[in-house]
């Protein structure tokens, strides 16, 4: 994905009892060997269609954060515990200059009606 780009990864299927759990987020620059002098590439998974500009762990619409450092080379990601995506999921490349590869590991989750409504209310409350 291009520098600064946001992509919609999941689209609401209309079933509030159907959701997804994010388990992992992996990122790397498209050309990691060409980026040896740069500081880092980072990305955020979020529930809002408004792209974030930074890691804000206190923001309930952000559910995963990843950094790929090229000098020295290391990478890490953090996933918010108990995350369940019911409506939409987005990824934003926070780099202003580097293209980014990303991979997200998610699994399906079927919920009770009460749990599904609770998750949907949380997403709507945070986004609208």
């Amino acid at each position: 994905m291009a520098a600064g780009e946001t992509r919609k990864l999941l689209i609401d299927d209309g079933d509030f009892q159907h959701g997804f759990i994010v388990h992992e987020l992996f990122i790397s620059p498209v050309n990691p060997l060409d980026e040896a002098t740069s500081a880092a590439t980072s990305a955020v998974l979020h529930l809002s269609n408004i792209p974030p500009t930074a890691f804000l762990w206190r923001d309930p619409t952000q559910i995963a954060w990843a950094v790929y450092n090229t000098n020295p080379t290391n990478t890490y990601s953090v996933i918010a515990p108990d995350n369940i995506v019911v409506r939409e999921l987005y990824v934003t490349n926070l780099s202003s200059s580097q293209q980014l590869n990303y991979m997200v590991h998610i699994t399906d989750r079927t919920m009770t009606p009460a749990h599904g409504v609770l998750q949907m209310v949380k997403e709507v409350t945070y986004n609208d």
Side-chain angles (χ1 to χ4, degrees), residues 92-107:
T92 295
N93 178 358
L94 294 179
S95 173
S96 61
S97 61
Q98 297 178 22
Q99 292 182 329
L100 181 70
N101 291 311
Y102 66 91
M103 182 172 61
V104 181
H105 172 212
I106 61 173
T107 56

Side-chain angles (χ1 to χ4, degrees), residues 56-101:
L56 295 174
W57 290 10
R58 69 182 179 273
D59 181 347
T61 66
Q62 294 186 19
I63 62 170
W65 307 265
V67 170
Y68 184 99
N69 218 353
T70 56
N71 192 14
T73 301
N74 61 44
T75 185
Y76 73 88
S77 64
V78 176
I79 310 297
D82 302 325
N83 74 81
I84 298 179
V85 180
V86 177
R87 292 174 52 191
E88 278 112 14
L89 178 65
Y90 301 85
V91 61
T92 295
N93 178 358
L94 294 179
S95 173
S96 61
S97 61
Q98 297 178 22
Q99 292 182 329
L100 181 70
N101 291 311

